[in-house]
């Protein structure tokens, strides 16, 4: 598998970090389809215009589809993205990122921002590490590398996300 460009990963990170998209995907994953007219009643903490925009974007990206008689449902790509979000949030919670107490969405956004940065290579004088990534802990480094691979695999399977640049959705 080839490595994605930093620009492509950063574009995908901006898109996937949208609080409305995170909430939409994880809500459907946790609770099942949402009737289209019930979106704003279901996700009351998300501004209606952000929610509509994210639902439209999720449809275009193939993350959700309208299932007749049930409502807005996740596609296979959406289910897999929900799994990626869960893995990111678990890593962040385990390593208290960005803080010991933080919302699920904030943990995902923080971890995606870290993953969008190019990996730090060891220097000849010893390993270099970014202080913002993880504690100097080989287990945390291994877990973080696994997250990077997980995200890259998902992005390779869903290349339509890497090519999308929509700054409004990250608002």
């Amino acid at each position: 598998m080839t490595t994605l460009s930093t620009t492509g990963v950063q574009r995908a990170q901006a898109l996937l970090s949208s609080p409305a998209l995170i909430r939409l995907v994880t809500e459907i994953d946790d609770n099942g389809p949402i009737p289209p007219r019930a979106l704003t009643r279901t996700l009351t903490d998300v501004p209606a215009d952000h929610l509509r925009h994210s639902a439209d974007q999720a449809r275009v990206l193939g993350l959700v589809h309208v299932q007749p008689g049930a409502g807005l449902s996740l596609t296979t790509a959406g289910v897999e993205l929900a799994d990626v979000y869960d893995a990111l949030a678990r890593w962040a919670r385990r390593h208290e990122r960005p803080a010991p107490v933080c919302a699920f969405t904030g943990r995902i956004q923080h971890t995606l921002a870290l993953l969008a940065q190019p990996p730090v290579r060891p220097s000849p004088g010893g390993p270099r590490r970014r202080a913002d990534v993880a504690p100097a802990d080989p287990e945390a480094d291994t877990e973080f590398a696994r997250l990077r691979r997980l995200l890259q695999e998902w992005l390779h399977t869903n290349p339509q996300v890497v090519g999308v640049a929509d700054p409004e959705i990250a608002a």
Side-chain angles (χ1 to χ4, degrees), residues 16-124:
L16 298 177
S17 291
S18 161
L21 184 66
I22 294 169
R23 290 282 291 121
L24 178 67
V25 169
T26 58
E27 178 69 25
I28 296 171
D29 185 56
D30 291 346
N31 299 305
I34 301 173
R37 296 198 182 271
L39 271 177
T40 55
R41 286 192 315 271
T42 303
L43 299 167
T44 57
D45 58 327
V46 180
D49 58 330
H50 290 187
L51 189 54
R52 278 190 300 277
H53 183 75
S54 290
D56 291 343
Q57 191 72 44
R59 276 189 210 101
V60 168
L61 294 173
L63 303 175
V64 299
H65 67 279
V66 176
Q67 187 177 19
L72 206 54
S73 301
L74 294 177
T75 62
T76 300
V79 170
E80 291 169 353
L81 178 59
D83 292 343
V84 170
Y85 281 160
D86 286 340
L88 299 177
R90 276 193 308 275
W91 180 87
R93 185 176 47 251
R94 190 170 25 261
H95 298 286
E96 299 183 342
R97 303 295 178 164
V101 177
C102 183
F104 181 79
T105 301
R107 291 194 190 282
I108 292 169
Q109 290 174 310
H110 178 78
T111 308
L112 281 169
L114 294 176
L115 289 168
Q117 298 173 13
V120 174
R121 306 275 183 233
S123 67

